[in-house]
């Protein structure tokens, strides 16, 4: 179907089938771990079952002439190479005149190339310095993305600041961030700090720093004041917002938006807030509850966020963050149709799990070349 002249992909109704309220609290985490799938399985599920909600893409960009090549130098971890640089992407890119070349990190980057684009996801101060030096010498090369811009997403305190400052509200809905508190000191001081901040239990606890390790994506749910002192700072505490057990992953690739629905943590009922105690550890939210399939979701839970609202959010964050490759995790407050919260932002996430990512990325790379050509003709570069 088409919305405002744009192509929109709509998935069939999503089904879930586990009655979370009937589960014992100490069994919830184990059930989520059993349901967690790896990247390949998620990708197959989404592509085969229509897991993509909808997408907004820029106009198609023509392939390069046969004599021209677009060279993308990449510096990625072995895990990212396996999940992103699949034969399907390389094959399609090759047909469009795009060539991927591995960057040798044991050699000077200045001695390699020439590159049109440098695509990277390597952490560390040394690598950031290498890229900064390279950008000074080769300002004509597009670096995806600038290290200084990426740094904002390595800290969960600064990560959501731009969303909070934006305080986006329109006729389509509103987007904010959950009330949160940063804790870096003595764990025993956490209960008092929570009281002073006026946060309501239960609270989601996440590591403050996002450093690419598995631990940085772990989260816990603390139900009572006593359990707060068992948490390990530095961390961020967020008020838990009931959201029907569903989150929306909004992938941003330049001006393209692709939205995928994922299962999330179950709602916490009033009775659980009164009687549950302790801290429950969960796997990554994006993997949680993958095995829940049997019962239909409430249509208001499954309904995708309004496209105009997502367009505005993506546009603002691209400018404020200075990034082109990231994703936003969004939840809808349960019982509300148009009240949303951003709970996480990730740089260069698992795009390989996104339906049609090969086509989207080849178009994106070509658009960068086309954009440079237009600037050159206008005298800007």
């Amino acid at each position: 179907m088409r919305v405002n002249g744009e192509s929109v992909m709509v998935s069939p109704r999503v089904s879930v089938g586990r009655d979370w309220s009937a589960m014992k609290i100490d069994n919830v985490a184990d059930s989520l771990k059993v349901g967690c799938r790896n990247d390949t399985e998620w990708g197959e599920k989404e592509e085969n079952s229509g897991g993509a909600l909808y997408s907004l893409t820029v106009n198609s960009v023509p392939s390069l002439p046969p004599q021209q090549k677009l060279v993308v130098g990449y510096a990625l971890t072995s895990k990212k190479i396996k999940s992103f640089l699949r034969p399907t992407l390389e094959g399609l890119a090759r047909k469009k005149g795009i060539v991927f070349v591995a960057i040798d990190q044991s050699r000077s980057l200045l001695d390699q190339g020439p590159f049109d684009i440098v695509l990277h996801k390597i952490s560390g101060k040394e690598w950031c310095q290498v890229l900064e030096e390279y950008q000074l010498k080769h300002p004509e090369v597009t670096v995806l993305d600038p290290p200084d811009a990426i740094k904002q997403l390595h800290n969960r305190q600064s990560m959501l600041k731009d969303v909070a400052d934006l305080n986006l509200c329109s006729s389509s809905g509103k987007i904010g961030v959950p009330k949160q508190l940063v804790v870096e000191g003595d764990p025993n001081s956490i209960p008092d700090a929570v009281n002073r901040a006026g946060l309501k239990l239960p609270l989601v606890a996440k590591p403050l720093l996002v450093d690419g390790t598995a631990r940085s994506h772990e989260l816990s749910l603390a139900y009572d004041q006593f359990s707060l002192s068992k948490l390990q700072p530095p961390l961020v505490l967020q008020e838990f917002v009931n959201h029907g057990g569903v989150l929306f992953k909004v992938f941003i690739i330049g001006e393209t938006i692709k939205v995928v629905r994922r299962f999330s943590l179950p709602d916490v009922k009033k009775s659980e807030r009164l009687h549950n105690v302790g801290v429950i550890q969960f796997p990554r939210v994006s993997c949680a509850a993958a095995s829940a399939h049997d019962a239909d979701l409430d249509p208001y839970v499954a309904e995708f966020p309004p496209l105009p609202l997502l367009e505005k959010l993506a546009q603002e964050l691209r400018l404020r963050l200075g990034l082109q490759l990231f994703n936003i995790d969004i939840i809808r407050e349960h019982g509300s149709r148009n009240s949303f919260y951003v709970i996480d932002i990730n740089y260069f996430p698992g795009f390989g799990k996104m339906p049609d990512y090969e086509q989207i990325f080849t178009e994106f790379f070509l658009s960068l070349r086309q954009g440079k050509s237009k600037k050159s003709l206008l005298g800007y570069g």
Side-chain angles (χ1 to χ4, degrees):
M1 62 181 291
R2 299 184 69 83
V3 175
N4 296 329
E6 301 291 350
S7 175
V8 175
M9 298 169 55
V10 183
S11 74
R13 244 177 130 184
V14 172
S15 298
V16 297
R18 189 178 298 274
D19 183 4
W20 292 103
S21 62
M23 296 181 66
K24 291 184 178 179
I25 193 168
D26 56 346
N27 292 333
V28 173
D30 289 338
S31 298
L32 291 177
K33 290 175 183 176
V34 170
C36 189
R37 302 183 178 192
N38 61 36
D39 289 356
T40 303
E41 289 170 329
W42 271 116
E44 291 172 351
K45 174 176 174 56
E46 289 166 358
E47 291 171 2
N48 295 337
S49 66
L53 301 186
Y54 49 64
S55 61
L56 171 67
T57 60
V58 295
N59 295 330
S60 294
V61 181
S63 303
L64 295 173
Q67 68 274 19
Q68 291 187 25
K69 297 293 180 185
L70 180 71
V71 182
V72 179
Y74 64 89
L76 306 171
T77 63
S78 57
K79 181 180 178 182
K80 182 62 72 174
I81 291 173
K82 183 178 180 181
S83 66
F84 179 76
L85 279 180
R86 297 177 181 172
T88 50
L89 172 60
E90 292 189 285
L92 180 60
R94 193 179 304 113
K95 291 179 182 178
K96 297 279 189 176
I98 302 170
V99 179
F100 291 98
V101 177
I103 292 173
D104 186 348
Q105 295 179 57
S106 66
R107 296 171 50 208
S108 170
L109 183 57
L110 293 171
D111 295 335
Q112 301 180 63
F115 303 119
D116 296 292
I117 297 170
V118 171
L119 180 69
H120 72 101
K121 192 175 184 182
I122 300 292
S123 58
K125 292 183 179 179
E126 184 177 348
W127 173 248
C128 289
Q129 291 173 352
V130 167
L131 273 183
E132 288 168 0
E133 180 183 355
Y134 182 81
Q135 285 183 291
L136 289 174
K137 296 285 185 180
H138 294 283
E140 77 283 1
V141 177
T142 299
V143 175
L144 297 171
D145 275 303
D148 283 344
I150 297 171
K151 286 179 184 177
Q152 302 169 81
L153 303 188
H154 288 169
N155 184 301
R156 285 195 165 92
Q157 183 176 19
S158 59
M159 176 190 292
L160 301 182
K161 182 179 183 302
D162 285 310
V163 181
D165 291 344
L166 183 59
N167 193 26
L168 185 59
C169 185
S170 71
S171 58
S172 301
K174 60 180 181 178
I175 298 180
V177 299
K179 192 172 182 179
Q180 66 179 33
L181 172 70
V182 175
V183 179
E184 299 183 85
D186 181 3
N188 292 320
S189 68
I190 298 178
D192 287 339
V194 168
N195 280 332
R196 289 196 301 272
L199 267 65
K200 298 178 182 178
L201 295 165
L203 298 175
V204 178
K206 305 177 182 180
L208 177 61
L209 300 180
V210 182
D211 55 11
T213 63
R215 185 186 179 281
S216 67
H217 292 286
E218 292 177 352
L219 59 86
S220 304
L221 195 61
Y223 277 92
D224 64 288
Q225 288 280 346
F226 177 76
S227 64
L228 293 174
S229 58
K230 298 179 181 179
L231 299 172
Q232 297 180 352
L235 51 81
V236 170
L237 297 176
Q238 285 183 348
E239 285 189 344
F240 182 78
V241 178
N242 279 342
H243 52 283
V246 170
L247 68 79
F248 303 94
K249 280 196 167 293
V250 182
F251 292 97
I252 312 295
I253 309 95
E255 295 182 10
T256 295
I257 302 171
K258 192 88 169 184
V259 189
V260 175
R261 181 170 38 210
R262 291 281 174 83
F263 293 96
S264 180
L265 303 182
D267 286 350
V268 178
K269 296 184 177 181
K270 290 183 178 180
S271 59
E272 294 173 328
R273 293 174 187 265
L274 294 174
H275 301 296
N276 288 348
V277 295
V279 176
I280 303 177
Q281 292 186 333
F282 293 98
R284 296 183 65 159
V285 170
S286 60
C287 290
S291 61
H293 293 304
D294 301 331
D296 287 336
L297 278 172
D298 182 333
Y300 289 111
V301 171
E303 183 182 4
F304 313 138
L307 187 56
L309 191 65
L310 294 184
E311 286 184 76
K312 182 63 175 176
L313 177 64
Q315 179 185 33
E316 289 288 345
L317 289 184
R318 274 196 304 267
L319 293 173
R320 291 168 182 250
L321 295 174
L323 298 172
Q324 298 202 66
L325 300 177
F326 60 101
N327 91 279
I328 313 163
D329 287 349
I330 295 179
I331 58 174
R332 172 191 282 110
E333 185 174 10
H334 194 42
S336 169
R337 191 168 185 177
N338 60 2
S339 180
F340 301 91
Y341 293 92
V342 174
I343 58 174
D344 233 342
I345 305 177
N346 303 289
Y347 170 67
F348 203 151
F351 285 117
K353 295 177 279 188
M354 182 181 70
D356 304 319
Y357 90 102
E358 300 95 338
Q359 182 68 36
I360 291 171
F361 265 89
T362 52
E363 296 284 347
F364 171 60
F365 291 141
L366 290 172
S367 72
L368 294 176
R369 162 66 75 86
Q370 188 179 66
K372 285 189 175 182
S373 298
K374 287 182 179 179
K375 284 185 179 181
S376 181
L377 289 171
L378 292 170
Y380 293 121

